[in-house]
Amino acid sequence: MSVNTLDRIVRSCLSHPENAGEVKLNRTETRSSVTLYREEPSESKMSDLWDDLENFARAPSTSTAASGERGTIKAKANFNVSEDVAALRKALEGIGTTEKTLIEILTHRSSSQKQAIAKAYQEATNRILVNDLKGDTEGSLEDLLVELARPPAVNDAKWIIKAIKGAGTNNRILIEILGSRTNKQIKELSAAYAEETKKTLVQKLKTEVSGDFGKAIILLAEGARDESTNVNADKAKEDAKALYNAGEKKMGTDESKFIEILCKRSMPHLRQTILEYKNISGKTLQKSIEKEMSGDLEELLVVIVKCAMSTPAYFAEKLYKSMKGVGTDETTLTRVMVSRGEIDMLDIRAEYKKLYRQSLYKEISSDVSGCYGDCLKMICGGDD
């Protein structure tokens, strides 16, 4: 850190004594600038955020929202595929790459429009758009633009392929994707997985995961969750009591009962069950799972509980953690921003502001820079 930078910090703290001692590195590509910030919530405070069940019971649910309804990436009116192909060719084929054009098009067209562009681009050039993006951009921007250009199901399939490739399995990726996606999304990613690998996802998972965690992940991968929107309060109470009896009330834990209920019941039913559980137990279902279980199964079931209460809040938390502290988890940041951009980014922004008292847009602006940061801000869609 330079003397000038230290001098700026000292002068800023003297003029704003209430912020003294609250200085952090601004996590940009240069890692050189500094900003003042408010106290970040601790892990215990973040856990407490999920205890406010009544708040999350009123939170928006996106499990049945149509693509584009609550997203920031929407279909362009008066869409002209030929004009977009010409603009992309000019941006990619000239001397140097015009990243601004790539960002403008790929963040302002729906997935179906971008697939039409990719098809027309290949017909016009005999080249694949994604490959040209890889050849003309690099680093985190390349990853971001490539994911924006691909269908969502293909992105999910490729993330899962990467998670189970080689020695060991990245269960956190499996948990995030299979724990948060709808049946339709799981069936689409499974089809994309089969197209890419010539194997079924369920068959592959049976060779990669085992135990109770394996049973739960495979059940989710089968895409057989009840998707009824009707909630029977009596049945929700029965399930809440069954979960209590299978965990807190007995010596040891009947993991199979938790897996059966949390991996098969509809999200609206689970939301009511979670509320009923608090009435029976006096503590939240999340806290009970964290006490009774451990490891990957615990993490998976907690993610399902969080998504049942509020999928946007779950992803707001994922984004917060990707930017928390020194350094940025750009891999997670990219995956979440792209995967939710056309689904519920507006709700994620609202939950982020409510949970962390800072707009997602400002957080991104202070955390990443350059064309990569500009593209993320375009997906974010605005300040709050």
Side-chain angles (χ1 to χ4, degrees):
M1 188 180 294
S2 69
V3 173
N4 288 338
T5 299
L6 285 170
D7 182 59
R8 286 202 308 275
I9 295 173
V10 172
R11 283 189 282 108
S12 185
C13 288
L14 287 173
S15 59
H16 300 281
E18 72 279 5
N19 290 320
E22 294 183 352
V23 177
K24 71 172 180 177
L25 288 176
N26 182 21
R27 300 176 292 278
T28 65
E29 292 170 2
T30 61
R31 302 288 194 268
S32 62
S33 61
V34 295
T35 57
L36 291 174
Y37 78 116
R38 291 175 299 186
E39 180 185 3
E40 293 181 339
S42 65
E43 289 294 330
S44 62
K45 287 181 181 177
M46 288 177 68
S47 177
D48 292 342
L49 293 173
W50 289 98
D51 289 346
D52 188 0
L53 298 186
E54 293 301 325
N55 175 49
F56 285 116
R58 295 189 297 270
S61 173
T62 54
S63 59
T64 58
S67 179
E69 281 185 4
R70 300 300 300 161
T72 50
I73 299 178
K74 299 178 181 291
K76 177 179 169 60
N78 303 316
F79 171 59
N80 188 313
V81 67
S82 299
E83 286 182 3
D84 284 348
V85 169
L88 288 171
R89 291 188 66 180
K90 185 177 180 181
L92 291 166
E93 293 174 357
I95 298 174
T97 302
T98 311
E99 288 88 353
K100 184 178 179 181
T101 300
L102 304 179
I103 293 169
E104 177 65 27
I105 291 174
L106 294 175
T107 60
H108 289 86
R109 306 293 185 274
S110 67
S111 179
S112 60
Q113 288 176 335
K114 283 182 281 194
Q115 300 327 300
I117 291 169
K119 182 180 178 183
Y121 184 93
Q122 187 168 357
E123 290 171 352
T125 65
N126 203 31
R127 300 193 307 271
I128 297 172
L129 176 58
V130 165
N131 291 344
D132 282 2
L133 290 170
K134 289 179 180 179
D136 283 74
T137 56
E138 59 184 12
S140 296
L141 178 64
E142 174 193 325
D143 296 338
L144 182 54
L145 293 176
V146 165
E147 290 196 33
L148 283 167
R150 289 192 304 221
V154 172
N155 283 331
D156 279 349
K158 285 187 176 292
W159 276 113
I160 288 177
I161 290 168
K162 188 175 181 180
I164 59 183
K165 185 178 180 180
T169 302
N170 186 338
N171 288 334
R172 288 199 163 184
I173 300 294
L174 298 181
I175 289 168
E176 176 193 316
I177 293 175
L178 296 175
S180 67
R181 303 305 193 252
T182 63
N183 286 350
K184 181 175 182 291
Q185 290 169 330
I186 289 173
K187 285 180 170 60
E188 289 171 350
L189 76 85
S190 295
Y193 182 92
E195 178 73 20
E196 186 82 16
T197 66
K198 310 307 176 190
K199 297 177 183 177
T200 71
L201 176 58
V202 170
Q203 285 174 337
K204 180 62 177 175
L205 287 172
K206 285 179 179 178
T207 68
E208 296 291 331
V209 292
S210 60
D212 290 319
F213 172 71
K215 292 175 187 175
I217 268 296
I218 289 167
L219 199 55
L220 292 173
E222 290 171 347
R225 181 183 294 282
D226 176 18
E227 291 197 324
S228 170
T229 57
N230 296 322
V231 177
N232 184 312
D234 290 335
K235 288 184 178 179
K237 287 179 183 178
E238 286 178 16
D239 277 348
K241 189 172 182 180
L243 290 170
Y244 179 70
N245 290 337
E248 282 189 76
K249 194 176 179 182
K250 63 178 291 186
M251 290 290 291
T253 305
D254 181 1
E255 288 87 353
S256 63
K257 181 58 68 176
F258 281 81
I259 292 168
E260 177 191 352
I261 292 174
L262 293 177
C263 295
K264 287 185 176 181
R265 303 293 194 266
S266 72
M267 286 303 195
H269 175 90
L270 287 181
R271 182 181 283 206
Q272 184 63 35
T273 300
I274 292 163
L275 294 173
E276 297 293 347
Y277 187 92
K278 179 74 178 290
N279 293 333
I280 294 170
S281 167
K283 65 174 67 172
T284 66
L285 179 57
Q286 178 182 335
K287 283 226 164 80
S288 292
I289 291 170
E290 290 168 346
K291 178 186 175 184
E292 297 291 327
M293 300 180 198
S294 62
D296 293 327
L297 180 62
E298 174 198 336
E299 186 173 343
L300 173 60
L301 297 184
V302 165
V303 166
I304 293 171
V305 167
K306 287 181 176 181
C307 286
M309 295 308 296
S310 173
T311 302
Y314 164 66
F315 281 110
E317 183 181 45
K318 290 283 291 186
L319 289 171
Y320 172 79
K321 287 182 176 180
S322 76
M323 294 182 282
K324 180 186 176 186
V326 177
T328 303
D329 179 1
E330 293 179 348
T331 300
T332 299
L333 183 57
T334 294
R335 183 176 62 250
V336 173
M337 291 297 290
V338 173
S339 67
R340 311 312 295 186
E342 202 170 342
I343 299 174
D344 54 2
M345 186 55 64
L346 293 172
D347 294 326
I348 290 171
R349 276 167 44 182
E351 291 299 318
Y352 197 99
K353 183 72 176 285
K354 184 164 56 178
L355 294 173
Y356 305 113
R357 303 181 302 280
Q358 167 83 307
S359 77
L360 177 58
Y361 188 93
K362 281 191 175 70
E363 199 73 56
I364 291 170
S365 298
S366 70
D367 224 69
V368 291
S369 62
C371 292
Y372 175 66
D374 292 341
C375 192
L376 288 175
K377 285 185 284 187
M378 283 286 195
I379 300 171
C380 184
D383 201 356
D384 297 298

